Amino acid sequence: MTRMERRNLVNGLLFASPYILGFLLFMLYPLAMSFYYSFCQYNVIAKPIWIGWDNYHELFRDSDFTTALYNTLYFTVFSVPLSLAFSIGLALLLNQKVNGMSIYRTIFFLPTIVPVVASAVLWLWVLTPDGGLLNGLLLQFFGIRGPGWIADPAWSKPSLILMNLWTVGTAVVIFLAGLAEVPKELYEVADIDGAGPWGKFRNVTLPLITPTILFNLVMGLIAAFQYFTQVYVMTNGTGSPAKSTLLYALYLYKTSFNYLKMGYASAMAWLLFLVIFAATVLVMVSSKRWVHYHGE
Amino acid sequence: MANKHKFHWVAHLCLLSASVTFVAPFLWMVSTSLKSEARIFPKAGGPPQWIPTADRLDTQGRRIVKVLEGPFAGKQGVELSAHEGERHEILVEGKTIALWPEEFEVEQRLGFQWKNYVAALQKMDFINNLRNTLFICVFCVVGTVISSGLVAYSFARIPWKGRNVVFLCVLATMMIPYQVTLIPLFAVYRSLGWVGTFKPLIIPSFFGVPFYIFLLRQFFMGIPEDMSAAARIDGCSEFGIFLRIIAPLAKPAFATTGLFTFLFEWGDFLNPLIYLQDDRQYTLAIALQQFQSHHESAWGPLMAMSTLITLPIIVLFFLTQRTFIQGITMTGLKG
């Protein structure tokens, strides 16, 4: 090792030391312990007791767990593609170089910066069956008596999905940046070929923004699986009505901090990691078939 | 060309209606926060009332009404008495008549109720919660910016052995859901006696936050290498290069990091929920949730609180819009 190399190593480690230390303390150690706890009976106060695979076996006999898993998959499967399509739609409209584009962009982005607790309380009020804004407007303009939304087990998950559409602003901004990277010449070529707006979207725009779609899809999936604060606030931590909004992260929180079944909750956490990891890998593998990178 | 114009027009219409939909909840929030209890829940089946109103009163504090039925229909009068389940006595053109509530309407004027805000400030202990929130925000911003900056510099500008392996760790740990480390961290903080203090919320940010390390690294890598090389020849230390050359050039990236950290901590819910136990320590987000869970349909004060929590963030956004949009774009395209 030359003097230069040694100097770089010392400096590099020194500069990276906050992260290396933090990684050991706040990541590696907790990871190992969490894995260990998932095979234990543990309530934080007493020492953990080794029980082998019992926690994992119990998960599949626990009807609340199956409900939570189902609710989360339902939410993810509908919310992620719907939000993605909605944000692409808005970004495409904004990309038409209309006047006041930056004002529209600001309006779409604003809901994403509202503290989640505030927006959850606000939507609880908007979705209140009697006196709430949404049902009031439905009656005023369409003469429809709206459903109970978040208070009705059949409508509570659609309510969350609807509510989630309000916060697509981040994805819209990212899609806008992606759209700006599409070379103008390609549209000119498409014009010469006589392509209409749909043809241009289908054959030029869509293939070229697939990397951005992939990014937003993965981010959306990860966020959906961990969706927590909104349901906690809106149902006061219960997942009501009839456990219809008991999502995975909420059940995990209740298991650990209400029932103090920390070992069981650790097993749930690792399973969640596995599910997210599997979903991400699946998307990444499939992306080889549908994502086009520039210059390929 | 005509086709293109038509398309623009349609796009405008779509954007306009989407914008109205996006803004409506905000307006509803502010509108509700300014209404009296009676106005928040108007007559069943009535349309949503966007503009807060109050009853019009005459100089003696009597309600001014408009008669709807009978010989005096369309005339204005004042209400003399109002008893539940009885006809109300109305004075119209010098005569006193008795009418059922559905036979007249009380005239309305624009009326803002500020008492919801008073309730929000007092019941939620707003000032104290604001101080707690700002305390956490400021320390987290300082910690995140400094530590993530140093670590990012190491990954971007110092070629050291093993750097790639460690950087891979940064990327890998971003994939791990917080739920996995939540319980052991709680156990650790509990054994350190940190539960019920701000420490678990602040101290981790001094050890580099993977997302911002990544963001800053990408930015540092774009700064020409010969600038640091020149300084190195002049005998400048690595820390000096970071401080005097890289940091000033990377101001936008640092601003983004600080801004996003501030925003995250301002609205963070889960960590304060787990670690703060005394209501004197509550942040704004927790205080709002706690108030909501105890007063489920006090929509006036609840919307006033929501407005108070949201407003500073919106002001901050308008002051720093460019940094914001650039930051989002940076994470989306290079991420």
Side-chain angles (χ1 to χ4, degrees):
Chain A
M1 203 182 265
T2 63
R3 248 190 75 212
M4 190 63 188
E5 278 173 341
R6 199 172 310 127
R7 197 186 106 121
N8 278 337
L9 183 64
V10 169
N11 275 328
L13 284 173
L14 219 58
F15 274 80
S17 60
Y19 175 74
I20 296 171
L21 218 65
F23 174 74
L24 297 175
L25 287 171
F26 302 117
M27 190 49 81
L28 202 61
Y29 171 76
L31 274 180
M33 289 315 278
S34 168
F35 193 65
Y36 168 64
Y37 292 155
S38 77
F39 294 97
C40 292
Q41 198 176 45
Y42 181 51
N43 65 1
V44 174
I45 297 146
K47 278 204 153 33
I49 303 160
W50 182 266
I51 52 168
W53 288 93
D54 282 9
N55 285 328
Y56 290 93
H57 286 307
E58 199 190 325
L59 277 176
F60 294 95
R61 286 195 298 267
D62 178 354
S63 67
D64 279 0
F65 174 75
T66 345
T67 307
L69 190 62
Y70 166 77
N71 288 340
T72 307
L73 288 176
Y74 181 115
F75 174 72
T76 308
V77 163
F78 286 102
S79 179
V80 175
L82 211 61
S83 300
L84 215 53
F86 189 49
S87 51
I88 293 175
L90 288 178
L92 281 174
L93 287 172
L94 284 175
N95 202 40
Q96 297 305 311
K97 306 280 172 283
V98 291
N99 293 332
M101 180 272 211
S102 66
I103 299 171
Y104 287 127
R105 189 180 63 184
T106 302
I107 288 174
F108 297 145
F109 189 69
L110 272 184
T112 65
I113 58 168
V114 176
V116 181
V117 178
S119 73
V121 173
L122 170 58
W123 275 90
L124 195 59
W125 171 220
V126 168
L127 296 172
T128 297
D130 297 309
L133 177 64
L134 188 54
N135 277 357
L137 291 176
L138 282 177
L139 194 65
Q140 184 184 6
F141 290 108
F142 304 102
I144 300 170
R145 275 193 62 85
W149 297 112
I150 202 85
D152 180 344
W155 283 91
S156 55
K157 281 188 283 289
S159 303
L160 296 177
I161 293 164
L162 177 78
M163 204 175 93
N164 222 24
L165 289 180
W166 195 51
T167 50
V168 293
T170 313
V172 172
V173 170
I174 294 175
F175 273 125
L176 263 178
L179 286 170
E181 305 251 299
V182 177
K184 297 280 167 297
E185 307 87 70
L186 290 177
Y187 289 115
E188 283 157 20
V189 173
D191 270 332
I192 294 164
D193 288 349
W198 171 251
K200 274 190 247 174
F201 169 71
R202 183 70 195 78
N203 299 313
V204 179
T205 315
L206 198 60
L208 286 174
I209 59 165
T210 44
T212 322
I213 295 180
L214 176 66
F215 176 80
N216 280 325
L217 175 62
V218 171
M219 288 297 150
L221 276 178
I222 294 175
F225 277 118
Q226 300 183 49
Y227 202 72
F228 170 77
T229 305
Q230 289 87 339
V231 274
Y232 185 95
V233 174
M234 294 177 89
T235 68
N236 207 354
T238 60
S240 62
K243 293 176 185 164
S244 63
T245 60
L246 185 68
L247 295 188
Y248 202 114
L250 180 59
Y251 186 50
L252 200 155
Y253 172 85
K254 278 160 68 96
T255 309
S256 27
F257 294 99
N258 294 353
Y259 315 143
L260 291 180
K261 288 162 74 178
M262 301 271 187
Y264 190 51
S266 298
M268 272 175 77
W270 278 97
L271 213 64
L272 178 66
F273 180 35
L274 219 66
V275 171
I276 293 178
F277 188 73
T280 312
V281 168
L282 212 70
V283 169
M284 288 307 221
V285 168
S286 82
S287 75
K288 293 209 172 68
R289 293 161 152 269
W290 59 268
V291 173
H292 306 268
Y293 287 99
H294 289 280
E296 267 180 32
Chain B
M1 217 44 213
N3 203 357
K4 195 151 196 174
H5 270 282
K6 207 169 116 197
F7 195 68
H8 258 220
W9 196 76
V10 172
H12 246 307
L13 207 69
C14 290
L15 283 171
L16 210 62
S17 46
S19 303
V20 170
T21 318
F22 270 70
V23 169
F26 284 114
L27 297 179
W28 187 243
M29 172 170 85
V30 177
S31 158
T32 306
S33 76
L34 293 168
K35 284 180 192 169
S36 66
E37 186 87 28
R39 292 295 182 281
I40 289 172
F41 286 105
K43 294 190 290 281
Q49 194 192 355
W50 289 97
I51 301 181
T53 60
D55 295 342
R56 263 185 75 193
L57 305 175
D58 69 359
T59 46
Q60 297 170 49
R62 299 177 301 192
R63 300 204 291 179
I64 299 175
V65 304
K66 197 169 126 191
V67 181
L68 295 175
E69 282 167 41
F72 293 100
K75 295 274 176 350
Q76 207 182 49
V78 290
E79 187 184 53
L80 299 176
S81 79
H83 297 291
E84 192 84 28
E86 284 177 30
R87 285 198 176 92
H88 296 216
E89 288 180 353
I90 311 277
L91 181 70
V92 194
E93 294 181 337
K95 290 198 181 71
T96 304
I97 57 170
L99 293 175
W100 291 108
E102 52 273 20
E103 292 171 330
F104 65 89
E105 67 178 17
V106 181
E107 294 204 346
Q108 298 292 307
R109 62 171 175 83
L110 196 66
F112 293 155
Q113 284 282 337
W114 295 102
K115 69 166 194 277
N116 291 324
Y117 284 88
V118 177
L121 290 173
Q122 286 171 349
K123 289 188 188 148
M124 203 172 71
D125 201 0
F126 186 84
I127 300 299
N128 185 42
N129 296 325
L130 177 68
R131 196 167 44 220
N132 294 336
T133 311
L134 285 176
F135 183 85
I136 294 169
C137 282
V138 167
F139 276 96
C140 283
V141 167
V142 171
T144 305
V145 167
I146 293 176
S147 64
S148 304
L150 288 171
V151 177
Y153 182 82
S154 172
F155 290 139
R157 312 290 290 201
I158 307 174
W160 51 282
K161 226 180 164 159
R163 174 175 84 160
N164 292 339
V165 179
V166 180
F167 186 63
L168 210 66
C169 276
V170 177
L171 296 183
T173 49
M174 277 202 283
M175 303 281 295
I176 297 170
Y178 66 85
Q179 285 92 347
V180 179
T181 50
L182 189 68
I183 291 163
L185 281 178
F186 181 78
V188 171
Y189 294 141
R190 195 180 159 276
S191 64
L192 288 171
W194 286 7
V195 172
T197 72
F198 292 147
K199 284 177 193 155
L201 308 178
I202 292 172
I203 289 178
S205 64
F206 281 83
F207 291 87
V209 180
F211 180 75
Y212 301 115
I213 294 174
F214 182 70
L215 190 102
L216 289 165
R217 172 186 174 267
Q218 299 300 95
F219 198 91
F220 293 167
M221 284 182 22
I223 298 170
E225 195 67 54
D226 35 332
M227 298 186 80
S228 353
R232 219 166 265 141
I233 290 164
D234 288 347
C236 196
S237 71
E238 211 60 54
F239 188 72
I241 296 170
F242 170 70
L243 209 63
R244 296 205 188 89
I245 295 171
I246 303 297
L249 287 171
K251 259 186 207 154
F254 279 119
T256 305
T257 304
L259 198 61
F260 285 6
T261 306
F262 184 89
L263 204 69
F264 177 81
E265 297 300 332
W266 181 272
D268 187 24
F269 179 68
L270 181 67
N271 286 312
L273 177 71
I274 291 171
Y275 293 114
L276 301 182
Q277 292 171 330
D278 181 359
D279 56 6
R280 297 290 305 158
Q281 296 177 328
Y282 282 170
T283 61
L284 289 168
I286 293 288
L288 174 59
Q289 188 272 331
Q290 287 292 316
F291 186 84
Q292 195 274 329
S293 68
H294 293 122
H295 306 83
E296 277 184 9
S297 52
W299 295 116
L302 278 170
M303 289 301 111
M305 288 177 192
S306 300
T307 308
L308 285 175
I309 293 182
T310 307
L311 206 62
I313 292 296
I314 291 185
V315 171
L316 186 70
F317 172 73
F318 279 107
L319 294 177
T320 58
Q321 212 181 133
R322 274 175 58 88
T323 312
F324 242 104
I325 301 291
Q326 275 172 358
I328 300 277
T329 312
M330 205 147 65
T331 57
L333 288 188
K334 304 210 174 101

